[in-house]
Amino acid sequence: MKQIIAANWKMHKTAVETTEYCRAIRQMEADFEGVEVLICPPFTALSAAAIALEASSIKLGAQNMHWESQGARTGEVSANMLLEFGVEYVIIGHSERRHLMGEDDSQVRRKLEAALDNGLKPVLCVGETEAEREQGITKKVIEKQLSGALEDQDPHKLSGLVLAYEPVWAIGTGKAASVEDAQEAAVLIRSYLKDKLGAKLAESTRILYGGSVKAENIGSFTVLPSVHGALVGGASLEVESFSSLIQAARKAVIT
Ligand code: 13P
């Protein structure tokens, strides 16, 4: 399975900064062979990214979407609006949306379904907080998030699905999960997929790790048999650090 290295820029970069970044990174794309590289800028920079990445193999993702196609939803953006810019992936249920914007499992589910119905590939994020880990309920939390979004879905519709395990305590803290924790969570996610949605989907679904990923530690995650890439925040904001991270991920898989 081809690994995905995805840049989640969160609320960073103007359209002008996006153009500059995308023009620079596409100069290096010959070195990204074998890896699916994805950039998820803010909505306001999607147009600039789409133009700067035209005819490039670097793909475009969005950080969120609403489940309705249009209507009185002030401040929201729909799937068809994203498709207009050639967006292929959309991050759904990121912990910052769950915890800072109060997004619940039922909203995450509706977004996931709307993404799939519109031909967008969801990157569904799950992960426990530090308090939940300390209480020993990591497994329960991840399973609840998975069930909320995926239970009783038609596996045939989920073929583009990507999962991301992002423990909240590892995001932006410089304290990445241990390799053992990442592997354990990825195995848990895969066995959930197998039990509830079938072996075929479980085998074909890519699971990413996210949380303080950088060039120095990416290789230890991507060599794991259950992990097929990473969702990267801070280390994706500079062209140099993101491209060295991609190189490190490639090297780890090749060697
Ligand atoms: P950091 O890489 O900055 O820890 O962010 C991870 C993340 O939330 C990616 O979605």
Side-chain angles (χ1 to χ4, degrees), residues 128-145:
E128 79 290 359
T129 63
E130 188 155 36
E132 289 162 344
R133 174 161 281 266
E134 278 165 7
Q135 284 169 59
I137 56 169
T138 297
K139 184 167 182 268
K140 210 171 121 196
V141 169
I142 295 174
E143 282 176 347
K144 182 177 170 291
Q145 290 169 338

Side-chain angles (χ1 to χ4, degrees), residues 30-44:
D31 299 332
F32 300 162
E33 216 193 309
V35 177
E36 205 171 331
V37 176
L38 173 64
I39 293 179
C40 307
F43 291 140
T44 48

Side-chain angles (χ1 to χ4, degrees), residues 63-80:
Q63 299 175 19
N64 181 32
M65 57 170 269
H66 195 271
W67 55 86
E68 297 289 349
S69 56
Q70 59 177 21
R73 298 288 185 275
T74 302
E76 296 292 338
V77 167
S78 68
N80 51 311

Side-chain angles (χ1 to χ4, degrees), residues 6-229:
N8 175 12
W9 285 356
K10 309 189 180 185
M11 199 169 68
H12 292 282
K13 295 198 190 294
T14 63
V16 169
E17 289 162 350
T18 298
T19 299
E20 203 180 314
Y21 181 111
C22 291
R23 281 184 184 156
I25 201 149
R26 70 174 298 173
Q27 303 302 317
M28 304 172 184
E29 71 179 290
D31 299 332
F32 300 162
E33 216 193 309
V35 177
E36 205 171 331
V37 176
L38 173 64
I39 293 179
C40 307
F43 291 140
T44 48
L46 280 173
S47 171
I51 293 167
L53 293 175
E54 204 186 341
S56 150
S57 65
I58 299 171
K59 295 182 174 169
L60 208 49
Q63 299 175 19
N64 181 32
M65 57 170 269
H66 195 271
W67 55 86
E68 297 289 349
S69 56
Q70 59 177 21
R73 298 288 185 275
T74 302
E76 296 292 338
V77 167
S78 68
N80 51 311
M81 293 170 183
L82 300 178
L83 288 167
E84 202 174 14
F85 296 111
V87 166
E88 191 173 326
Y89 288 89
V90 58
I91 299 172
I92 303 278
H94 190 280
S95 67
E96 285 148 20
R97 298 217 54 86
R98 292 180 191 263
H99 297 290
L100 303 177
M101 319 293 169
E103 209 166 283
D104 64 20
D105 282 338
S106 75
Q107 292 171 319
V108 169
R109 183 180 186 91
R110 293 174 83 175
K111 290 180 181 198
L112 180 108
E113 288 172 348
L116 292 165
D117 287 347
N118 283 281
L120 288 166
K121 296 174 186 162
V123 180
L124 173 65
C125 300
V126 298
E128 79 290 359
T129 63
E130 188 155 36
E132 289 162 344
R133 174 161 281 266
E134 278 165 7
Q135 284 169 59
I137 56 169
T138 297
K139 184 167 182 268
K140 210 171 121 196
V141 169
I142 295 174
E143 282 176 347
K144 182 177 170 291
Q145 290 169 338
L146 290 171
S147 295
L150 299 174
E151 193 154 310
D152 299 328
Q153 299 279 8
D154 175 357
H156 295 105
K157 282 191 172 177
L158 296 173
S159 57
L161 176 70
V162 177
L163 260 300
Y165 169 60
E166 293 208 309
V168 181
W169 48 268
I171 295 177
T173 59
K175 194 177 88 181
S178 70
V179 170
E180 292 75 21
D181 289 341
Q183 171 72 2
E184 200 180 321
V187 167
L188 170 70
I189 293 167
R190 208 172 294 289
S191 76
Y192 176 92
L193 295 175
K194 188 171 174 214
D195 290 350
K196 304 286 183 184
L197 297 158
K200 198 164 162 231
L201 190 79
E203 277 159 31
S204 63
T205 301
R206 286 174 290 186
I207 301 173
L208 316 182
Y209 166 74
S212 297
V213 173
K214 41 187 194 262
E216 293 74 26
N217 63 15
I218 179 80
S220 61
F221 296 110
T222 52
V223 288
L224 295 172
S226 271
V227 174
H228 296 97

